[in-house]
Every structure is written in C-alpha cells, then in structure tokens.
Amino acid sequence: MDLTLTPELAAFREEVRAFLAAHAEDYAGGAAREPLAWQRLLIEQGYAARTVPREYGGYGAAPDILKGRIIAEAFIAAGAPRGIANQGVSMLVPTLLEVGSEAQKRRWIGPTLRGEVVWCQGYSEPDAGSDLASLKTSAIEDGDDFVISGSKLWTSTAHLAQMMFALIRTEPQAPRHEGISYVLIPMDTPGIEVRPLKTMTGQAEFNEVFFTEVRVPKDQVVGGRGRGWFVANTTLKHERGMLGDPNATEARLNALIELMKTETVDGQRIVDHPVFRDRLMQLQARVFAMKFNGLRTLTDETAGLARLVVKLQGCELNHQLAALAIDALGELGVLYQDGPHLRAKGRWQWNYMFDLGLIIGGGTAQIQKNIIAERGLGLPREPSPAKA
C-alpha cells in the first residue's frame, strides 16, 4: 500500500486540525461538553459515521484507510473525543449494515448514530455467559408475535436504554446453535423488569433484565429466524474491536503522560522519577505495538491472528495504564467520588475498577486466549470434561 502523504491528504490533515482548533471550546479532558451536539457535528463533518451511507444517517464517504487514520491521529493529538462509542453505535449499527433488512437499517441506524436511541445487549444469562449457546430465554409464537420469557444478566445500560438487541431461543427443536434468533426489543414493552446491579465502582452499570410474556413482532428478528448465532458473532466481532480500540488506548496513554508531567513529589515531576518513568516506557512500548498491530489489520485482510489479540491486549493495557496513574498520584490515588484534591474527577480510579470488568466482559481473557490458540495458532481444542 502506498503511504505517501499526497497534497490531497496533507490538505485533508490540515482541514481536520483546523476543525479541532476552531472547536477547542467544545471539549475538555477528552470529553465533549455537549455529547449529542458534538456527535451531530462530527457526522456532518465526516469525522464520525464517515462511511455509513447517507440514506441511513451517516456521512456517506467512500472507504479510505489513510483519511481514516489521519482523522484518528488528529483527534488523539488534540485530546478530542471521537464521538459516541457504545453498544448501539459501535456494535449494532455495523451489524445492521451487514445483515439487517432495509427497513431495519432505515428505522434504527440514523437515530442510533445521533445518540437519540440508546441500546443494551441481551446476551449473558445466569447459566449462559462464556457458554453463550446454552441460553434459555425463549419465545413461543402467537400470530405475528413472539412471546418471550426468561432473563438476562450483566446487561450494561439496560436501565438507560430504549432498545435491546437480544438472543432468544425461538426454535426449541433445533440444535442449540441453530435455534437462536437475534431480536430487537423495545425496553418499554409490558413484561420487562430491570434490576440494577451495583459494581465495585459504586455505580450500577450492569443490570438483570427479566422477561415475563413479553410480546415482540416477528419482523424484529435480524438476519432471519434461527440465524442468531451467526448474527451474534458478527456483533461480537465489533464488540471486541470497540473494547480493544487502539486509538482509545493511545489517547489514555497521552492523558497519563500529561498527568505524570503535571503531578510532583518533593518538587520533582513524576515523569522524571526513574521507577515511574521505567513503568511508563514499558507500557508505552506495548501501546505502540498495539497501535501498529491495529494498523496491520486495516491493510492486511489475512491478518486474522492480529485481529484476535486486540480485545485481550486492549482491555489489559487500559487497566494497567489506570493502575500506573493511581500509583503516580500517591496518596491522592486512593481518593474517589468527590473531594478538593481529586484529580480528573476520579476518572482514573473509576477506569481502574471498571476496566477490570471489561477484561471479563465481551469474552473473558481466558476465552480470548482459547480463541487465539485454536483459531489463530491452530492448536488443538481445549479438552472437554468427560460426560458422567
């Protein structure tokens, strides 16, 4: 691939930088002051939803790897937020673009991109987390509707969401991987109950969701009845890319470096302390390795193994970056929630605890290592327990 920075690309880079400079008052600390207005502005400029067709609410540009990379690097350098990244924008939208019906694309992609509709993901169940195909939440047919009963667990943002994309067993006689459908469910449907689950952050990011005879039209199935396992894996691919996004990790590294340049001990900057500096350089080297691995996946369609390591590496690195920030803050690192000496509104402490959960969520580190070993390296499958 020709990586020459042509006059057109150089002009595009200056255009992005000028936009960020002109709108510097619209963001601070890596976050937008008005997230929905910022998202709409980014879509209008083509810096978010860039390749999503205009008829579905995106910018409609042709895919261009170099321009995409220029946008990412300019936003990282400016410390600017890339717009909304959540289960709807980052996971459902690309899934609908791949396998959704025309009606589903036109109904849901635009409002989701603009942040007007918040989604949650109904996958995990009390006895079906890592073994997702064991799910028991099921539906019976009644005319043009499915009537759903069961429960979901560890459902992020269910208490805030207007919609859920969920895996439901609709074909009880079929083999377990073939009897599942991927269904879009309004969260205000009668029969749905959401119970928050407080985590060690002190907040309730997760929930239990109970379904008692919840009626959903059959046309809300994505990708065809009984094909939910295939559709779910399409979504999981995008979830792993979101959770291990190397651009987000690089932005966090830059924030950490800035913190270590600002904070001092006995008049000495933390970044000049040899022990902390050594830890920072080790993490910086791993972040850069992850960045270049991510670039390889953009240009090499055969880089299957490179894609498989993204989620595992990204989540663990994010957690370790937050850990170094807390250590660098010394006694201030144990502060949380509120206080005059709290730094960055306690974001490092919150990230440290929440990211530990992300190492488990979306496929645990152990599951990721099995996938890398078996699908990426071709090693023998993990032995299954003998049947009694």
Side-chain angles (χ1 to χ4, degrees):
M1 183 176 183
D2 185 1
L3 299 178
T4 304
L5 191 66
T6 64
E8 177 194 356
L9 292 173
F12 181 73
R13 183 172 64 181
E14 292 309 311
E15 173 190 315
V16 181
R17 289 174 173 174
F19 167 83
L20 291 170
H23 292 274
E25 297 297 320
D26 293 339
Y27 55 88
R33 300 188 189 281
E34 298 290 342
L36 296 187
W38 181 248
Q39 178 74 359
R40 287 195 298 273
L41 181 60
L42 295 188
I43 295 174
E44 290 170 6
Q45 296 295 320
Y47 303 146
R50 182 172 180 79
T51 59
V52 176
R54 279 187 178 274
E55 59 266 33
Y56 303 141
Y59 182 73
D64 187 316
I65 292 173
L66 292 182
K67 286 188 175 179
R69 194 58 213 160
I70 285 171
I71 294 170
E73 292 191 352
F75 274 67
I76 292 170
R82 290 295 308 273
I84 296 174
N86 59 23
Q87 295 167 98
V89 174
S90 308
M91 296 160 58
L92 179 69
V93 166
T95 300
L96 290 180
L97 287 171
E98 285 189 45
V99 298
S101 68
E102 185 64 20
Q104 289 164 346
K105 293 175 186 176
R106 292 186 180 275
R107 173 67 182 88
W108 295 115
I109 290 179
T112 302
L113 288 175
R114 294 189 294 273
E116 297 165 1
V117 178
V118 175
W119 292 79
C120 59
Q121 179 189 44
Y123 275 22
S124 296
E125 297 185 6
D127 296 317
S130 297
D131 184 12
L132 192 56
S134 297
L135 63 90
K136 293 183 174 60
T137 298
S138 61
I140 58 174
E141 296 185 65
D142 185 11
D144 293 332
D145 294 339
F146 283 129
V147 180
I148 300 171
S149 295
S151 65
K152 297 294 179 179
L153 188 62
W154 310 121
T155 311
S156 307
T157 67
H159 57 305
L160 304 173
Q162 292 92 27
M163 293 292 297
M164 169 188 281
F165 52 93
L167 295 181
I168 307 294
R169 190 165 295 285
T170 56
E171 325 296 323
Q173 305 305 321
R176 66 178 196 154
H177 288 88
E178 300 173 11
I180 300 169
S181 294
Y182 188 106
V183 186
L184 308 181
I185 305 172
M187 291 297 287
D188 60 357
T189 307
I192 294 180
E193 180 186 0
V194 178
R195 298 179 188 171
L197 293 171
K198 186 179 287 187
T199 71
M200 60 183 167
T201 67
Q203 301 169 1
E205 294 94 357
F206 299 117
N207 302 270
E208 295 175 284
V209 182
F210 296 90
F211 301 84
T212 304
E213 298 183 347
V214 174
R215 188 172 288 271
V216 178
K218 291 179 182 174
D219 63 5
Q220 293 304 300
V221 171
V222 177
R225 282 184 60 164
R227 298 193 70 239
W229 187 254
F230 166 75
V231 181
N233 276 283
T234 301
T235 301
L236 283 171
K237 174 181 65 179
H238 297 295
E239 180 180 28
R240 291 167 185 150
M242 176 185 71
L243 295 177
D245 181 5
N247 295 324
T249 302
E250 187 177 1
R252 183 176 295 194
L253 171 69
N254 289 342
L256 172 61
I257 293 172
E258 189 61 32
L259 173 82
M260 294 176 66
K261 287 180 177 177
T262 306
E263 296 294 329
T264 60
V265 173
D266 296 331
Q268 181 185 29
R269 300 189 311 168
I270 298 294
V271 75
D272 294 327
H273 190 289
V275 173
F276 285 112
R277 190 180 185 89
D278 181 66
R279 286 179 61 185
L280 175 64
M281 291 179 68
Q282 290 184 43
L283 289 174
Q284 187 178 42
R286 292 177 58 197
V287 171
F288 285 169
M290 182 177 165
K291 172 182 177 179
F292 294 124
N293 179 72
L295 293 178
R296 187 154 62 104
T297 66
L298 294 178
T299 56
D300 185 357
E301 294 183 355
T302 63
L305 179 59
R307 288 189 179 86
L308 292 176
V309 304
V310 168
K311 195 270 179 184
L312 175 67
Q313 289 294 314
C315 289
E316 292 187 343
L317 259 178
N318 288 338
H319 185 245
Q320 291 163 13
L321 289 168
L324 177 53
I326 290 173
D327 289 347
L329 285 169
E331 69 276 16
L332 301 183
V334 301
L335 301 178
Y336 191 51
Q337 292 186 332
D338 197 12
H341 301 293
L342 195 64
R343 299 292 193 267
K345 300 180 180 178
R347 188 178 70 246
W348 292 109
Q349 293 89 334
W350 188 90
N351 283 337
Y352 177 79
M353 292 184 283
F354 187 74
D355 287 345
L356 190 60
L358 292 186
I359 293 174
I360 301 171
T364 67
Q366 290 73 25
I367 292 290
Q368 299 302 315
K369 289 175 181 176
N370 272 359
I371 291 174
I372 293 167
E374 295 169 7
R375 300 182 193 174
L377 300 175
L379 297 178
R381 290 183 62 83
E382 181 184 28
S384 300
K387 294 183 179 179

